[in-house]
Amino acid sequence: MIVKAIPTNIITGFLGVGKTSLIKQLLKTKPEGETWAVLVNEFGEVGIDAGLMDASNSGVQIREVAGGCMCCAAGVPTQVAINQLIARAKPDRLLIEPTGLGHPNEIIKVLSAPHYQNVISLRSTLCLIDARKLRDERYRGHDNFIQQLHVADVIVTTKTDLYPEFEAAQGGQLAEELTQYLNELQLSDTSVMEHSALQGISTSLLESLKLPRRQATKASGSQSAVFKPVNSSSSLLRHTADTLGLQGIFAESASEQGFRFDARGLVRKHNQGEGCFSCGWVFEPMQEFDFDKLMQFISAQTQGHSALLRLKAVMITSDGIAGINWSDGDMALTELDDSLDSRLEMIATQEINWDEVEQGLIGCLVA
């Protein structure tokens, strides 16, 4: 039974800005005895972020909604996922990560609806930004990039350890460019914080999670009336979800969805929207990859496709389970404790020869 409203934060930001990495660090700050829940929405269809978070802490529950539907106007898949996660985890805090290609205003509308008033206490929305992207018009002029900043209560500059020229405290050039850009968007009053993965979560960033959602009322608007309470166990809702093609949201996580593997022991899934294309592969658990060949393959993909925006993977290899997270030249490689299977996904601004990529990936399997 929900005794008090659950403090809830939305952590948004464009592709590859470090949302998953930040949430991993936040989970490490969880007070002992508390349960935190994370709801992750991915643009792709195979679900990888939960695996990259590698939450072995028994006080953490992670749920994925694949296919970028969290930020859609329908509201049903989001409500079902939230209701089921709350019922299962009974969390002391809920963190929600929308897809980097989505606009979080729709999820804010859902969470601001009257029937969640005594269940969810909507706190500050954090928008993460890599200040280097301001020099790239693909980001600077992208509607979702701009809209994500507009819904933010706190803007967090990430990956600053990778570009020391930011120098926020000393007024570095990139810091000045960010200030100018925010002024252009009429966001000069929005709080800006700096975050470096090397330094960990600062006290000020933790405290910012407790701030109230300034725009909660404004975000809900007149449309909040269309969102009605839903019971995730009702046959009517399940029928509605089946009609909408949303069956995947009823799985405990994307990692637990049933995939129909072909004779080679793999499945391939596509998605497209917001000017981007994704392709993801899932391999049966008994399939193992040669680590060196896999890294050579990934290097070839990240260097050989100018349209590639993101590549992420959780792979069972001959050297252990590897978590791989690449974006625009930045590569993070981590060793994970466990994985149900191997998954790799790529997101690009145009179609890539996926058949060719697939053959290269299969070539990395241990014979």
Side-chain angles (χ1 to χ4, degrees), residues 30-31 37 71 237 308 324 345 349 359:
K30 181 186 70 67
C71 295
L237 180 60
L308 187 64
I324 301 162
E345 191 153 55
T349 54
Q359 289 306 308

Side-chain angles (χ1 to χ4, degrees), residues 101-120:
L101 287 172
H103 177 40
N105 200 43
E106 295 301 333
I107 178 63
I108 292 173
K109 289 177 184 177
V110 172
L111 297 175
S112 302
H115 60 268
Y116 278 125
Q117 183 176 355
N118 297 321
V119 179
I120 286 176

Side-chain angles (χ1 to χ4, degrees), residues 295-308:
M295 296 312 297
Q296 291 172 9
F297 163 81
I298 289 174
S299 178
Q301 303 311 308
T302 56
Q303 295 177 26
H305 301 293
S306 59
L308 187 64

